[in-house]
Amino acid sequence: FLTYDQKLEDKMVSAVTWTLTSFDNVKEVNIWVNGRPLEMMPKGKTAAQHLTRNRGINLEVLEGVNIAQSIPVTLYFLGQTSTNETYYVPVTRMVNRTNDVAKAALRELVKGPAPSSNLVSALSNNIEVNQVRVEGSTVMADFGDQLLEFNDQHSASKSAIDSIVFCLTENTTAQKVKLTVNGKNGISVSGEKSKVDHPVSRPIMINP
């Protein structure tokens, strides 16, 4: 475990942390090696104790963001395998400090991946975020008509809905997301027989 490329140290620690904290009953990770706690990784001195999802994963700092006055939001973009299968990739992006973390996260999700990234967004970058608010265990998110421009049937893509739900439940304490378009309930989703007219729970598995 301690034989690795130093450039990959942070990604290693993040991968272990995010894998284990994907279980609801695991909130913190302490790394041990050969039966003894490891205080920090030996090469880059990354902390190896009391690790939580708050440390982020695949960290991005975009131009114009003051790190000293920033907060992290975790977004979900799409990657693609050599056989053209898509999968979700969490990316933690530092943004200017705000009290409305949910709305800030959604706006960054709409902006899409960094220009240098090989990831793609499930959402069009012209989608308007009208309102976001947390009510108990549910996030209420209202969008403009652009969300329903995935095809001629005036529906949203399944991956767009999933990435919104992943993003909002990752960056708030909520477990469900209620989606509306210009205040109207009942969103059509491409490939789905029924409309989404109820709060959507975060899937147990992101990439089953």
Side-chain angles (χ1 to χ4, degrees):
F1 182 74
L2 301 181
T3 304
Y4 59 89
D5 184 336
Q6 182 176 334
K7 292 183 294 185
L8 299 178
E9 182 176 287
D10 185 71
K11 291 183 181 295
M12 284 176 56
V13 174
S14 294
V16 171
T17 303
W18 276 62
T19 297
L20 295 175
T21 55
S22 65
F23 295 96
D24 287 340
N25 61 332
V26 178
K27 304 301 181 186
E28 185 177 278
V29 175
N30 296 318
I31 296 177
W32 289 39
V33 174
N34 289 333
R36 295 182 179 180
L38 183 70
E39 290 302 319
M40 61 180 62
M41 300 295 286
K43 297 183 180 180
K45 306 306 178 185
T46 301
Q49 300 291 306
H50 309 296
L51 306 170
T52 69
R53 291 173 83 88
N54 291 336
R55 75 183 309 276
I57 189 169
N58 298 322
L59 190 65
E60 286 183 354
V61 181
L62 300 188
E63 188 175 350
V65 175
N66 180 353
I67 291 296
Q69 297 296 323
S70 66
I71 59 171
V73 293
T74 297
L75 319 170
Y76 284 81
F77 298 122
L78 293 171
Q80 190 173 53
T81 68
S82 58
T83 55
N84 297 323
E85 294 176 296
T86 58
Y87 56 93
Y88 294 99
V89 178
V91 173
T92 300
R93 179 176 294 171
M94 303 305 295
V95 300
N96 291 322
R97 190 178 300 279
T98 175
N99 291 327
D100 196 344
V101 178
K103 193 163 189 175
L106 265 191
R107 285 177 172 168
E108 293 300 318
L109 185 67
V110 170
K111 282 182 185 179
S116 59
S117 172
N118 59 359
L119 303 176
V120 297
S121 177
L123 288 85
S124 170
N125 61 10
N126 69 340
I127 291 178
E128 294 180 4
V129 180
N130 295 332
Q131 188 180 41
V132 186
R133 68 182 189 278
V134 180
E135 294 186 358
S137 62
T138 303
V139 182
M140 317 296 285
D142 187 56
F143 297 87
D145 284 327
Q146 303 87 351
L147 181 64
L148 303 178
E149 294 177 353
F150 178 66
N151 55 29
D152 294 337
Q153 283 72 50
H154 203 58
S155 63
S157 72
K158 178 68 164 56
S159 56
I161 299 300
D162 286 345
S163 61
I164 290 169
V165 172
F166 289 144
C167 175
L168 289 175
T169 53
E170 188 71 59
N171 293 286
T172 69
T173 57
Q175 296 300 312
K176 297 180 180 180
V177 178
K178 174 67 174 176
L179 298 160
T180 55
V181 172
N182 291 328
K184 296 179 181 179
N185 196 18
I187 295 177
S188 295
V189 180
S190 180
E192 301 289 324
K193 293 182 179 180
S194 59
K195 292 185 176 182
V196 176
D197 56 5
H198 56 278
V200 180
S201 298
R202 181 185 177 96
I204 295 175
M205 300 181 71
I206 294 175
N207 292 307

